[in-house]
Amino acid sequence: MKTFLSVVGARPNFMKVAPLHRALQSFTDQIRHVICHTGQHYDEKMSTVFFEDLELPRPDIYLGIGSGSHAEQTANVMISFEKVLLELQPDLVIVVGDVNSTLACSVTAAKLHIPVAHVEAGLRSFDRDMPEEINRMVTDVLADYLFVTEQAGMDNLRREGISEDKLFFVGHVMIDSLKYYREKAAKSPILASFDVLPKTFTLVTLHRPSNVDVKENLERILTLFETLQDQTRFIFPVHPRTHARIDEFGLRERFNAIDTLTLCDPVGYLDFLKLMDNAALILTDSGGIQEESTWLRIPCITLRESTERPVTAEIGTNEVVGLNIPLAVEKSRAALNGNGKRGTIPELWDGRAAERIVEILMERLDVNNE
Ligand code: UD1
Ligand code: UDP
């Protein structure tokens, strides 16, 4: 019996581990799958709700790390995770994405000579001001198995000298969840609770420090909503970081003065999927939402200077506009008038990435010949 230990920490991790957990359920005689939640995100609406929505079992291990500076958070995960690894002695640690928990657990496992699989490897924004870029680079250099979502990821890893036998282009586990839960999400009552009809509203998410931790930048984005307020209804589930900054910068009243803008708490996975699927337009700085909107073929305007997911802009519905507000207004108006990008779906984003990953891991770790 082999033990695979998957790490989740923050919101974008849960929908990536869920399909891996499901795929591993076919092999419970050979593989014990243990889920460790670092507690990087801990609010009910940033964490617990996803376990229910994604039918994930309660985490076997909860580290309860919580918030902190980058060094504090990363170091605290490392200290606790090392104890877990020493006790459990897993055969493999699986990390997903690019959050601080991803970096912390990869470093800890690699130093104990435990193989690491990185799911969503190879993405690069080429902007080291983003904490995620550092997390991605370090994790990829340490990982033994790198599972890649798009061709650019393969190109980046080859350029960085990662050996070919570690690289696997498998598609995207986040899309596995999207496809698997789309029908169930369609039953969510969220549109009625916001009193909106399909395709009449713009869905907004913002949480990148470069946008929300800098007052002038958050104010620039506010002017985008003010300019478009007569053309669309906005639904904006607010990330806790952003919620705190809106108050700290004294911008709450200006947000509230926009009659067509509804601020609310973050919503669960199924509700959010229903909102995405029925939006006329998505305005975001999220990583994953750029990909989900491409798969759902909903126009997406990304308020960032770069994307580490270039396929979404090259063939998907994504338009990366940075903080060029006039351009964002122009692109938003086009989308709201029905002239947004329609896009096509990237290669291997077919809902079967987790199955491919499990198959490769079984073979590489010699699971069938125990
Ligand atoms: C983190 C990830 C980011 C990811 C995002 C997804 C890193 C470096 N950043 O950013 O890549 O896109 O998650 O949402 O790992 N907070 C709460 N409740 C929570 C969680 C956070 O109130 O459950 C507040 C705290 O004040 C905290 C702040 O949000 O200090 C930021 O949380 P943190 O996990 O450090 O970074 P995120 O901005 O959430
Ligand atoms: N999401 C959600 N509820 C929300 C906002 C986002 O369920 O209120 C989901 C979204 O569908 C996607 C993931 O959270 O699957 C993206 O996480 P986030 O934007 O926090 O992180 P990033 O992808 O930028 O790292």
Side-chain angles (χ1 to χ4, degrees):
M1 181 71 111
K2 299 257 193 220
T3 300
F4 288 7
L5 174 56
S6 288
V7 175
V8 291
R11 178 166 71 184
N13 298 158
F14 306 118
M15 58 294 294
K16 295 171 192 168
V17 167
L20 291 168
H21 180 71
R22 205 166 41 249
L24 285 166
Q25 291 316 290
S26 306
F27 304 100
T28 47
D29 288 347
Q30 296 125 296
I31 299 165
R32 177 163 72 120
H33 187 219
V34 177
I35 297 178
C36 175
H37 186 343
T38 66
Q40 177 175 344
H41 284 177
Y42 43 85
D43 285 350
E44 206 272 332
K45 289 172 175 161
M46 296 297 287
S47 172
T48 324
V49 66
F50 294 96
F51 284 83
E52 292 156 19
D53 280 6
L54 295 156
E55 300 163 274
L56 271 168
R58 276 166 61 94
D60 302 279
I61 301 155
Y62 185 71
L63 304 181
I65 299 305
S67 305
S69 71
H70 284 277
E72 279 167 350
Q73 191 174 57
T74 308
N76 286 334
V77 173
M78 288 177 72
I79 292 167
S80 293
F81 193 62
E82 185 178 54
K83 296 190 179 103
V84 170
L85 293 181
L86 289 172
E87 198 190 316
L88 201 67
Q89 302 282 344
D91 299 285
L92 178 74
V93 167
I94 302 175
V95 295
V96 297
D98 54 16
V99 302
N100 283 349
S101 302
T102 313
L103 165 81
C105 294
S106 313
V107 175
T108 311
K111 288 215 163 185
L112 291 174
H113 315 296
I114 298 170
V116 174
H118 185 205
V119 174
E120 214 187 10
L123 300 179
R124 298 288 180 269
S125 64
F126 304 102
D127 174 5
R128 289 196 195 182
D129 288 342
M130 289 183 75
E132 296 81 7
E133 185 75 352
I134 311 226
N135 294 345
R136 291 188 277 258
M137 290 166 59
V138 175
T139 302
D140 285 343
V141 114
L142 297 176
D144 300 276
Y145 308 98
L146 294 96
F147 295 106
V148 178
T149 53
E150 62 170 281
Q151 186 55 44
M154 297 295 280
D155 300 342
N156 293 333
L157 293 169
R158 285 182 177 133
R159 200 176 41 247
E160 290 173 18
I162 306 285
S163 77
E164 200 62 34
D165 63 328
K166 294 182 178 178
L167 302 184
F168 307 94
F169 181 25
V170 290
H172 203 342
V173 287
M174 191 178 220
I175 302 299
D176 293 4
S177 278
L178 201 65
K179 198 169 171 193
Y180 188 80
Y181 284 108
R182 194 181 190 186
E183 222 176 283
K184 190 169 173 195
K187 300 194 182 87
S188 150
I190 189 91
L191 297 191
S193 72
F194 284 120
D195 197 18
V196 284
L197 293 170
K199 303 295 168 190
T200 62
F201 64 94
T202 299
L203 180 63
V204 181
T205 81
L206 294 170
H207 68 272
R208 293 261 97 82
S210 56
N211 281 336
V212 304
D213 288 358
V214 182
K215 186 177 182 207
E216 301 72 53
N217 291 349
L218 191 52
E219 282 180 313
R220 281 164 80 177
I221 295 171
L222 190 44
T223 65
L224 172 64
F225 304 139
E226 287 167 343
T227 309
L228 291 171
Q229 63 181 312
D230 295 333
Q231 270 133 313
T232 186
R233 169 84 190 275
F234 294 101
I235 307 287
F236 182 1
V238 185
H239 187 286
R241 173 190 287 279
T242 311
H243 181 74
R245 294 301 170 265
I246 289 174
D247 285 333
E248 190 185 317
F249 297 149
L251 295 174
R252 180 79 51 187
E253 274 184 24
R254 256 179 87 186
F255 272 99
N256 287 342
I258 303 174
D259 288 338
T260 52
L261 185 135
T262 303
L263 299 180
C264 63
D265 283 341
V267 301
Y269 183 73
L270 297 173
D271 287 341
F272 196 76
L273 176 44
K274 170 99 179 202
L275 286 170
M276 283 193 291
D277 213 0
N278 287 282
L281 168 66
I282 297 177
L283 285 176
T284 193
D285 59 12
S286 160
I289 294 169
Q290 296 171 62
E291 301 176 319
E292 292 173 328
S293 53
T294 274
W295 194 84
L296 294 166
R297 308 186 85 160
I298 307 293
C300 175
I301 294 177
T302 298
L303 300 167
R304 283 177 41 186
E305 300 301 331
S306 59
T307 181
E308 61 285 338
R309 302 156 207 270
V311 78
T312 60
E314 284 157 15
I315 67 162
T317 57
N318 193 16
E319 304 199 73
V320 181
V321 300
L323 280 181
N324 183 338
I325 300 304
L327 185 62
V329 168
E330 182 195 316
K331 300 280 184 197
S332 299
R333 286 197 173 124
L336 292 168
N337 290 329
N339 299 318
K341 279 171 87 174
R342 297 253 323 121
T344 52
I345 294 177
E347 192 183 351
L348 294 183
W349 289 17
D350 58 0
R352 301 197 44 226
E355 288 167 38
R356 291 186 193 103
I357 290 171
V358 168
E359 197 179 311
I360 293 164
L361 289 173
M362 303 255 308
E363 196 218 307
R364 288 298 178 106
L365 289 156
D366 219 9
V367 171
N368 287 321
N369 296 324
E370 282 286 284

